[in-house]
Amino acid sequence: MPHVITKILADDRRFELPDGAGSDAVHSDPQYGYAVTQLITEDKNQSGTGIAYTLGGGTHLVQSAIELLSEPLVGQEIEALMSDFGTVQRAMAEHHQIRWLGPHKGVTHLALASITNACFDLWAKARGVPLWKLLLDLSPEALTRLIDFSYLDEVLTADEAVSILKEKAATRSQREHILKEGYPGYDTSVGWFAYSDERIMENARHAIDLGFTAMKLKVGSPQPERDVRRVKKIREAVGDDVRIMVDANQAWSLPKALEVCQQLASMQPYWVEEPTQPDDILAHQTIARAIAPVPVAVGEAVSNRVMWKNFLQAGAVGVVQADCTRLAGISEYLAVSLLATKYPVKVIPHVGDMGQIHHHLVFFNHIALGHEKLFLEYIPHLREHFMHPAIVKDGAYQLPQEPGCSTDLLPRGKH
Amino acid sequence: MPHVITKILADDRRFELPDGAGSDAVHSDPQYGYAVTQLITEDKNQSGTGIAYTLGGGTHLVQSAIELLSEPLVGQEIEALMSDFGTVQRAMAEHHQIRWLGPHKGVTHLALASITNACFDLWAKARGVPLWKLLLDLSPEALTRLIDFSYLDEVLTADEAVSILKEKAATRSQREHILKEGYPGYDTSVGWFAYSDERIMENARHAIDLGFTAMKLKVGSPQPERDVRRVKKIREAVGDDVRIMVDANQAWSLPKALEVCQQLASMQPYWVEEPTQPDDILAHQTIARAIAPVPVAVGEAVSNRVMWKNFLQAGAVGVVQADCTRLAGISEYLAVSLLATKYPVKVIPHVGDMGQIHHHLVFFNHIALGHEKLFLEYIPHLREHFMHPAIVKDGAYQLPQEPGCSTDLLPRGKH
C-alpha cells in the first residue's frame, strides 16, 4: 500500500532536566529540546516522526523553518521520495531564496535534519523494519541515492561511495554477530559541569557498576586547576583501564586550549572534545598536532558535509562526532560517515537524539562500512519521553526491533 | 538627553525586483528582503533602524529571531550600551541555549546583524552624526570596545587592534580628502544571469556613461561557453581599461571551478567571486593558488569572524567581501576589517544593504584603517524604498550627511 504524505505538522518540544544535568562550560542551564516533524499519511497508523536537537531556547524558530521547507513534500509517496532522496534533499537545501539563510547551517539546516529524519522514519515504518535493517538491506546504489554529494567531488563521488560499500560488503558477514552482542555505550552523564567533585566520583563508580568502560567529564573551567583536579578524581575512582574523555564545549581560545590540553594530556584522556569554536578548522588542526596521539573529537556543532570535508582534509579531527539531528539528518550523516571511511577517521556520533536514531546507525556503520566497534554516547535524561527508549544492558545498546527510527515521542504530559 | 530603548519591533520587508534583476547561477528568482529591527525610545523622533539582508523567502524566521534575541536590550540607554558593545553582543551571540542554533551563523546570526545595526543607527542619531563621522571620532579604545574579539586571540587581540588604529591615525589627514571626492562605485546590475547578451552589452555601455569604471557579470552557467562568451562581449563593449569581475555565486564544484576559471583567466577578470560553497575554505585556497594573480573574492555568505580568520590564514581569499548585513552587524564588520588590515587583504564589501551602511564604512576603512581606495558595489534596485538613498554621482558614492546609518525604510506603500 502506497504511503502518501497528506499533511505535515511541526512541533516545539522542550524538556526540563534534573538539577545540573546537561550543564557544561558554555551551556550553563540547558533544556533539551526537539523541533519535531510529523509526516501524516492517509493511514492513521503510519506517520513519520523526525527530530532535530536543540538546547531549548529558539526551538520555535526551527519549528517555523520546518513548516516553510517541508511544503514540497505534501502529496509525495514515500517510496518514490526515497528512491532519489539525495536530489529531494538538495532541492530543499538549495531553495533559491531560503538558502541565503544558511546555506547549509543554522536554523534552516536543523529544520532539514528534522524533515529528513521524518522521511526515513516513515519509510522504515512503511517497510515494517527498523532503520538499521532498512539501511543494511539497500543496494550500494540505492543507499548512495539517499545522499547529496554536491561540493564533495574532489574527495568523494557517488561512484566512489558505491565502490566503498561494495568492497566492505565482501566481509560484512564477519561483522554481523554484533547484532546479537549489542553495541557498547559510554556514559556522558557522569561529569556534568555543575556537579560537585563528590558527585562525579560517585557517578563514575556507578557507571562502572552498570557495565560502562568509558565515560566523559565536562571541562573548560575558567580555572584549569578545576579541570585537572576533576580528571584526577575520576581516574582515582575508576582506575587506569577505563577510558575518560574530556569535553570543553568550545570554551577555550586557541592559546588557552594549547595551555590546558598540555596539562590534561598527562592524565591520558581518550580524547579532547570541542576545544574551541567549531568553525575554526585551522585552530583544531593546530590543537590536533599539539596533543597527538590524543585525538581531537568534534562534531556536535559542525554544520554540514563541506565543513566535515575540510576538517578531514586538514587532519583537524581524530573522532568524528557527526550527529544526524544537527547535520541534514540521516542522509548527511551517511555522507559524513562515508567521507570518514575514506580517510579513515573514527566516527563516534554525538547523540542529540539521546542515541535513539544513532544506535541504529552505529550498527549500520560497523557492518556496512566496516567501522571499528567502539562505543556510542549514552545520555539517559529523556528516556521517559520516547515511546521506545533505547535499551542499554550491561553497558551496551541492544538492537532495536520496532519499525522506524525509534524517534516517536510520547504526547505531552504522557510520560 | 539620554536615549532609553523602550520597545523593540521586528519586521519582515520583501521587495519585488524588476524582471531578471538579481538573478544569478544559483538564485534564479530572488526577491530582496530585510529583517528589520526598530529600536523605539521615549523620544518619538529618535528610533534606531537595523537591517539584515535576505533573498525574500524565510525573512520571517529572522524577524522571529530578532524578537527572541533583542529582549535584553529593552530598558537600556544607548550611550551606556555602546560604551562596551563588544560584551553586549557577545552575550547575545553566546546565549547559553540559543547559541546551539548556530553558533554564529544562519538565522540567529542574521538577527544579530539586524539588532546590532539598529544599535549603531540609534547611537549615531542620538549623537546627531552620520555613522562614518561617529566611527571616525571614536578613540581607538572606544572603537575596539565595540567588537567581540573572542576566538581571534592568536591572530588579533583588542590591544593589537588599538595599536593598528593608532599607527594608521598618524597618516589619517592625508586620506581625508576622500570625504570631498566621494568613493568610487562599481556596477553589479550590468550582468544579471537572466539578462540576454544584448542587454548586458547595452548595460555595460550605459554604466560607462554613468561614470563607472568597473562592473560585474554573473557566471556559473551549466555551459561554461556561455560564461566565456558573455565576458568577451562585455570586454568588447567597454574596452580593455574597464575592470570586469565575474561572479559564480557558488555554482561550481572544485574541479569545475578550476576548469572554468582557467578559461576565464585569459579574459583578465579583476576577480573571480564565490567560485564554490562558501564554507569550503580549502577549496577556495586551491582555487586561489590556481588562478593567481587573479584574486578570489568571497564574503556574502561567510558567516562570522572565525570563518574569516581561517580564510585569511589559509590565503584562500584575495578580496574580502564582508557584509555587515550578513555578519553580526557593523561590529563584526569592523572585526573583519581589522583582521584584513593585518594580513593585509583588500576589503570591498558586498552590499546586502544596497550600499546604504557600507558607503559610510568604506570612508571609515580608508581613513581610519588606511585601506586602499578601491570601489564599492552599487545596486540601484531598492533606492526608492530608503528614506535617504545613497547618492552616486559620476560613478562615485557621495558622503552621506544625515545622522545615522542611512537604513531607514519608507513605510509600506510609500515609495
Side-chain angles (χ1 to χ4, degrees):
Chain A
M1 174 186 159
H3 292 81
V4 177
I5 299 166
T6 54
K7 196 161 75 167
I8 300 175
L9 304 175
D11 201 0
D12 167 0
R13 297 289 300 270
R14 307 188 195 188
F15 307 96
E16 295 298 334
L17 297 174
D19 194 34
S23 60
D24 62 48
V26 170
H27 310 95
S28 52
D29 188 19
Q31 296 176 307
Y32 284 165
Y34 290 125
V36 183
T37 302
Q38 199 80 31
L39 304 177
I40 310 294
T41 68
E42 283 162 351
D43 178 350
K44 277 198 302 209
N45 300 313
Q46 293 283 26
S47 72
T49 304
I51 55 175
Y53 176 65
T54 70
L55 291 183
T59 310
H60 63 291
L61 301 173
V62 186
Q63 178 189 14
S64 299
I66 291 168
E67 288 161 358
L68 181 69
L69 280 174
S70 66
E71 270 177 27
L73 300 187
V74 175
Q76 305 247 25
E77 197 281 318
I78 193 67
E79 285 287 345
L81 197 67
M82 302 311 286
S83 67
D84 190 19
F85 189 75
T87 303
V88 173
Q89 197 189 53
R90 185 173 179 180
M92 284 189 282
E94 300 288 351
H95 181 287
H96 69 107
Q97 292 190 351
I98 303 168
R99 78 186 296 285
W100 183 268
L101 305 179
H104 317 140
K105 57 180 70 71
V107 165
T108 48
H109 210 62
L110 289 167
L112 199 54
S114 182
I115 295 165
T116 297
N117 292 336
C119 291
F120 276 83
D121 186 54
L122 178 59
W123 191 29
K125 285 172 178 167
R127 290 195 176 187
V129 293
L131 174 67
W132 61 265
K133 181 157 171 56
L134 174 82
L135 295 177
L136 283 177
D137 287 350
L138 293 174
S139 71
E141 291 79 6
L143 192 109
T144 53
R145 281 197 302 272
L146 297 170
I147 298 170
D148 175 5
F149 285 93
S150 58
Y151 299 120
L152 299 183
D153 309 55
E154 73 278 21
V155 172
L156 184 71
T157 63
D159 287 347
E160 271 183 282
V162 168
S163 301
I164 290 172
L165 285 161
K166 285 187 174 164
E167 185 208 318
K168 303 291 180 183
T171 54
R172 207 192 241 222
S173 59
Q174 300 164 20
R175 295 184 293 275
E176 287 174 347
H177 57 88
I178 200 169
L179 296 174
K180 287 192 180 146
E181 293 163 9
Y183 198 94
Y186 76 82
D187 191 343
T188 283
S189 304
V190 164
W192 297 119
F193 198 74
Y195 287 175
S196 68
D197 289 12
E198 292 64 38
R199 182 147 183 209
I200 61 173
M201 290 178 77
E202 189 188 310
N203 286 349
R205 285 186 289 257
H206 184 58
I208 299 293
D209 292 343
L210 290 174
F212 293 106
T213 60
M215 56 192 65
K216 194 146 81 185
L217 177 72
K218 297 292 183 177
V219 296
S221 167
Q223 295 81 36
E225 315 81 60
R226 181 184 192 253
D227 297 342
V228 172
R229 183 186 75 230
R230 285 158 71 89
V231 180
K232 272 191 190 154
K233 295 229 176 221
I234 291 210
R235 182 61 77 208
E236 270 171 37
V238 298
D240 287 341
D241 295 340
V242 168
R243 287 165 169 167
I244 302 174
M245 290 79 96
V246 295
D247 183 0
N249 287 91
Q250 314 170 24
W252 297 319
S253 68
L254 174 58
K256 187 82 179 173
L258 294 172
E259 178 203 324
V260 184
C261 283
Q262 200 154 31
Q263 296 180 52
L264 293 174
S266 63
M267 254 81 66
Q268 295 168 294
Y270 187 64
W271 71 56
V272 175
E273 184 170 337
E274 282 210 308
T276 190
Q277 212 272 1
D279 297 334
D280 201 339
I281 292 168
L282 297 181
H284 282 82
Q285 182 189 56
T286 303
I287 296 165
R289 288 174 183 165
I291 69 171
V294 175
V296 168
V298 68
E300 69 189 66
V302 175
S303 302
N304 59 55
R305 67 192 181 281
V306 175
M307 296 290 294
W308 276 118
K309 183 182 71 170
N310 274 212
F311 264 106
L312 290 162
Q313 288 174 309
V317 57
V319 177
V320 167
Q321 300 183 297
D323 185 332
C324 72
T325 65
R326 151 73 74 184
L327 293 166
I330 293 162
S331 177
E332 198 169 34
Y333 170 91
L334 293 171
V336 174
S337 291
L338 282 158
L339 277 174
T341 310
K342 187 163 171 188
Y343 272 83
V345 172
K346 292 183 178 80
V347 178
I348 304 181
H350 172 264
V351 300
D353 63 332
M354 307 297 118
Q356 292 294 116
I357 311 175
H358 289 104
H359 78 311
H360 294 262
L361 294 174
V362 289
F363 285 107
F364 172 81
N365 274 17
H366 180 67
I367 295 172
L369 300 180
H371 286 196
E372 194 183 343
K373 175 177 144 186
L374 294 156
F375 33 62
L376 178 63
E377 181 166 32
Y378 177 68
I379 308 177
H381 300 315
L382 300 186
R383 291 189 55 76
E384 70 268 31
H385 300 287
F386 284 101
M387 209 167 285
H388 301 291
I391 295 166
V392 174
K393 220 191 299 189
D394 298 331
Y397 277 93
Q398 304 301 297
L399 191 69
Q401 303 294 343
E402 309 78 25
C405 297
S406 310
T407 36
D408 281 310
L409 289 156
L410 291 171
R412 282 181 172 73
K414 286 289 160 137
H415 73 90
Chain B
M1 174 187 159
H3 292 81
V4 177
I5 299 166
T6 54
K7 196 160 75 167
I8 300 175
L9 304 175
D11 201 359
D12 167 0
R13 297 289 301 271
R14 307 188 195 189
F15 308 96
E16 295 297 334
L17 297 174
D19 195 34
S23 60
D24 62 49
V26 170
H27 310 94
S28 52
D29 188 19
Q31 297 177 307
Y32 284 166
Y34 290 125
V36 184
T37 302
Q38 200 80 30
L39 303 177
I40 310 294
T41 68
E42 282 163 351
D43 179 350
K44 277 199 302 211
N45 301 312
Q46 293 282 26
S47 73
T49 304
I51 55 175
Y53 175 65
T54 71
L55 291 182
T59 310
H60 63 291
L61 301 173
V62 187
Q63 179 189 12
S64 299
I66 291 168
E67 289 162 357
L68 181 68
L69 281 174
S70 65
E71 271 177 26
L73 299 187
V74 175
Q76 306 247 24
E77 198 281 318
I78 193 67
E79 285 289 345
L81 197 66
M82 303 311 286
S83 67
D84 190 19
F85 189 75
T87 303
V88 173
Q89 197 189 53
R90 184 173 180 180
M92 284 190 282
E94 300 288 352
H95 181 286
H96 70 108
Q97 293 191 349
I98 303 168
R99 77 186 296 284
W100 183 269
L101 306 178
H104 318 138
K105 57 181 70 69
V107 165
T108 47
H109 209 62
L110 289 168
L112 199 54
S114 181
I115 295 166
T116 297
N117 292 335
C119 291
F120 276 83
D121 186 54
L122 179 59
W123 192 29
K125 286 171 177 168
R127 290 196 175 187
V129 293
L131 175 66
W132 62 265
K133 181 158 171 54
L134 174 82
L135 296 177
L136 284 177
D137 288 349
L138 293 175
S139 71
E141 292 79 7
L143 193 109
T144 53
R145 280 198 301 274
L146 296 170
I147 298 171
D148 176 5
F149 285 93
S150 58
Y151 298 122
L152 299 183
D153 309 54
E154 74 278 21
V155 172
L156 184 72
T157 62
D159 287 347
E160 271 183 282
V162 168
S163 301
I164 289 172
L165 286 160
K166 285 186 173 164
E167 184 209 319
K168 304 291 179 182
T171 54
R172 206 191 242 223
S173 59
Q174 299 165 20
R175 296 184 292 275
E176 286 173 347
H177 56 89
I178 200 169
L179 296 173
K180 287 192 181 147
E181 292 162 12
Y183 197 95
Y186 77 83
D187 190 345
T188 283
S189 304
V190 164
W192 297 118
F193 198 73
Y195 287 176
S196 69
D197 289 12
E198 291 66 37
R199 182 147 182 209
I200 61 174
M201 290 176 77
E202 190 188 310
N203 286 350
R205 283 185 291 257
H206 184 59
I208 299 294
D209 292 344
L210 290 174
F212 292 106
T213 59
M215 56 191 67
K216 192 146 80 185
L217 177 72
K218 297 291 184 176
V219 295
S221 168
Q223 295 83 34
E225 314 82 58
R226 180 183 193 253
D227 297 343
V228 172
R229 184 186 75 229
R230 286 158 70 89
V231 179
K232 273 192 190 152
K233 294 228 177 223
I234 292 210
R235 182 60 76 207
E236 270 171 37
V238 298
D240 287 340
D241 295 340
V242 169
R243 286 164 170 170
I244 302 174
M245 291 78 97
V246 295
D247 183 0
N249 287 91
Q250 314 169 25
W252 298 318
S253 67
L254 173 58
K256 187 82 179 173
L258 293 172
E259 179 204 322
V260 184
C261 284
Q262 201 154 31
Q263 295 180 51
L264 293 174
S266 62
M267 254 82 65
Q268 295 168 294
Y270 187 64
W271 71 57
V272 174
E273 183 170 336
E274 282 210 307
T276 191
Q277 212 272 0
D279 297 334
D280 201 339
I281 291 168
L282 297 182
H284 281 82
Q285 183 189 56
T286 303
I287 296 165
R289 288 173 182 167
I291 70 172
V294 175
V296 168
V298 68
E300 69 189 66
V302 175
S303 301
N304 58 56
R305 67 192 182 280
V306 176
M307 296 289 295
W308 276 118
K309 183 183 71 169
N310 274 212
F311 264 106
L312 290 162
Q313 289 173 307
V317 57
V319 176
V320 168
Q321 298 182 298
D323 185 332
C324 72
T325 65
R326 151 72 75 183
L327 293 166
I330 293 161
S331 176
E332 197 169 34
Y333 170 91
L334 292 171
V336 175
S337 291
L338 282 158
L339 277 173
T341 309
K342 188 165 169 187
Y343 273 82
V345 172
K346 292 182 178 79
V347 178
I348 304 181
H350 172 265
V351 299
D353 63 331
M354 306 297 120
Q356 293 294 117
I357 310 174
H358 289 104
H359 78 312
H360 294 261
L361 294 174
V362 289
F363 285 107
F364 172 81
N365 274 16
H366 179 68
I367 295 172
L369 300 181
H371 286 196
E372 193 183 344
K373 175 176 144 186
L374 293 157
F375 33 62
L376 177 63
E377 182 167 30
Y378 176 68
I379 308 177
H381 301 314
L382 301 187
R383 291 188 55 75
E384 71 268 32
H385 300 287
F386 284 101
M387 208 167 285
H388 301 290
I391 296 166
V392 175
K393 220 190 302 187
D394 299 332
Y397 278 92
Q398 304 301 297
L399 191 70
Q401 304 293 344
E402 310 78 24
C405 297
S406 310
T407 37
D408 281 311
L409 289 155
L410 291 170
R412 282 180 171 74
K414 287 287 163 141
H415 74 89

